[in-house]
Amino acid sequence: MGKHDTRLLNIGFNNGVVSSRIIAIVNPSSSPMKRLREEARERGQLIDATQGRKTRSIIITDSSHVILSAIQAETISNRLSDGGSGKEVPKEKE
């Protein structure tokens, strides 16, 4: 896989996203974000990590995947900047 940062960012309900792949964390309430969500669904690149709860943030990755989370965007942003809420993925033995 190469030398990528494998730190996982907790986005709620034991779900994680590789923090180095995130390009944006946004609020879901605006019309453009609702369109973004629908377009991702049509492309097959929507990941729903809300566990049936209300969507409180949308995470956009560098691979154009759109991830829905039930955690507030501000909380996820704080976790990302703190770096303390992520989980280190063990590196494979060579």
Side-chain angles (χ1 to χ4, degrees):
M1 227 176 130
K3 296 182 180 181
H4 293 287
D5 180 19
T6 54
R7 184 160 299 277
L8 290 179
L9 177 67
N10 181 356
I11 61 167
F13 305 107
N14 286 329
N15 294 306
V17 177
V18 177
S19 59
S20 63
R21 304 293 304 265
I22 296 172
I23 60 171
I25 302 168
V26 296
N27 290 317
S29 57
S30 70
S31 292
M33 291 305 109
K34 290 177 183 176
R35 280 194 301 274
L36 177 75
R37 181 192 309 194
E38 283 307 309
E39 290 168 2
R41 185 184 318 273
E42 291 169 5
R43 290 192 318 263
Q45 291 185 309
L46 181 70
I47 300 169
D48 187 347
T50 62
Q51 301 290 325
R53 309 291 198 303
K54 179 180 178 183
T55 300
R56 298 192 187 277
S57 63
I58 297 176
I59 302 165
I60 304 166
T61 66
D62 60 358
S63 61
S64 298
H65 283 84
V66 175
I67 304 166
L68 308 179
S69 174
I71 306 295
Q72 293 284 349
E74 183 178 3
T75 303
I76 295 174
S77 296
N78 289 340
R79 290 178 183 179
L80 183 61
S81 63
D82 290 347
S85 296
K87 300 173 188 167
E88 186 75 24
V89 174
K91 294 183 181 182
E92 295 179 20
K93 294 181 182 178
E94 295 180 17

